[in-house]
Amino acid sequence: MAVDLAHPPHVADLARRTAQFVREVVLPAEERNRAAVPSEALRRELQDAARAAGVFAPHVSAEYGGHGLDMRGRAAVFEEAGYSLLGPLALNIAAPDEGNMHLLEAVATEAQKERYLRPLATGEIRSCFAMTEPAPGAGSDPRALTTRAERIDGGWRIQGHKWFITGADGAGFAICMARTSGTPGDAGGATMFLVDADNPGMKIVRHIETLDESLFGGHVEMVFENCEVPDEAVLGAVDQGFQYAQVRLGPARMTHCMRWLGIARHAQDLAVRRSAERELFGSRLGDLGMTQQAIADSEIDIAASRGLILQACWELDQGRSAGQSTAIAKTFCAEAVWRVVDRSLQICGALGVSGDIALSRFLREVRPFRIYDGPSETHRWAIARRTLRRHTAAQAEAGAQATAATQAEAQAGAPAQ
């Protein structure tokens, strides 16, 4: 059977127009606003421009003003948007809002969609996802969740301490994960709550200073102290929060990969341009074997990352859990993107280290991706466990088939009664 990796015409056209928009509108705006943290005014300016260009919100359904792309379609468009650090923000596909939109569209009630999803999809408000906690709470292991919610008359009271909550500063609401049954370490018992930003029980403690700076709204430490919410604030069903988290996390890992792959391509383009123009030791930099190897290795990393993303996205589009494929793709892409940016900076030498081109900033921005959405070590552990389970299951199945065959032979050879 033939394998066709070409995108449908409407996806290819949207990706082409996104690439054009990023180069003609977003990159010049990024150059004009070299401050590490973009302003709210710039966010709205770029999103208005994206709407006018017809490339805004490619991921949400047409009902909420988007293009309704499936995961494979998003892969093409998100990569083009990711060519600029501000591209995802402009298209309203930046983390954590993009993942929250996906979750709300899949899980929320119609009333919740109107109250939270619609203004989020249009860019009127932003959001955050409050799951991660300081040690020993939820981090790489969500089951360590310590934040609790207890029933009160007409609703719930949330108590807990969260940190590294991306985009919390200025968000219109939070999706808060809290334990409603069981104890830390249990595999179940979590519930998601929609908490409005003006709730007096939800407070920002501080901005956490981090290596990366481009994610809008920063990384925030916050507390939920006597935070009371009504029953209608429950997102989905009580005690099913960990299951709903999987609805969000698998696709969100892939969309992270898509966006950062765009940055890797941008870094490679800068390095190739420098290699073609820079002359030293009597020849072009690009004519030197070591430079050619670095360029080739980066091309391989980019192509392999794109293939792994598409494989995982195909599985997600088929309704599969895709746990193994998303873990493999996330681990490889996080490390491959770093390698590409690092090689590109090395090729550009002093220029790469300087602030005259974006490579030094790219390096700072992509390094945390090997930790965010699960560190590489956690994903490798999960990949290995699944592989060993698959081997054990195959061995058991082979043993069962051999036993059945032996019994059948014995019965066939038995004398008639």
Side-chain angles (χ1 to χ4, degrees), residues 177-200:
M177 286 275 283
R179 185 169 289 285
T180 44
S181 66
T183 59
D186 289 349
T191 301
M192 292 184 176
F193 295 93
L194 294 160
V195 184
D196 294 330
D198 60 0
N199 190 310

Side-chain angles (χ1 to χ4, degrees), residues 113-158:
K113 289 177 182 178
E114 287 300 315
R115 180 170 178 177
Y116 297 102
L117 174 57
R118 189 172 296 281
L120 186 62
T122 61
E124 180 184 339
I125 62 173
R126 295 188 298 101
S127 63
C128 64
F129 188 73
M131 181 173 71
T132 305
E133 300 169 339
S140 298
D141 182 2
R143 295 174 303 178
L145 185 70
T146 62
T147 298
R148 300 201 67 89
E150 60 180 9
R151 284 194 178 275
I152 58 175
D153 288 341
W156 298 81
R157 181 182 293 116
I158 305 171

Side-chain angles (χ1 to χ4, degrees), residues 16 55 83 124 138 149 167 200 264 269 285 289 295 299 327 373 377 384 387:
R16 178 191 59 78
V55 297
Y83 197 83
E124 180 184 339
D269 286 349
L285 179 60
I295 290 173
E299 285 293 300
D373 274 334
E377 292 77 9
T387 303

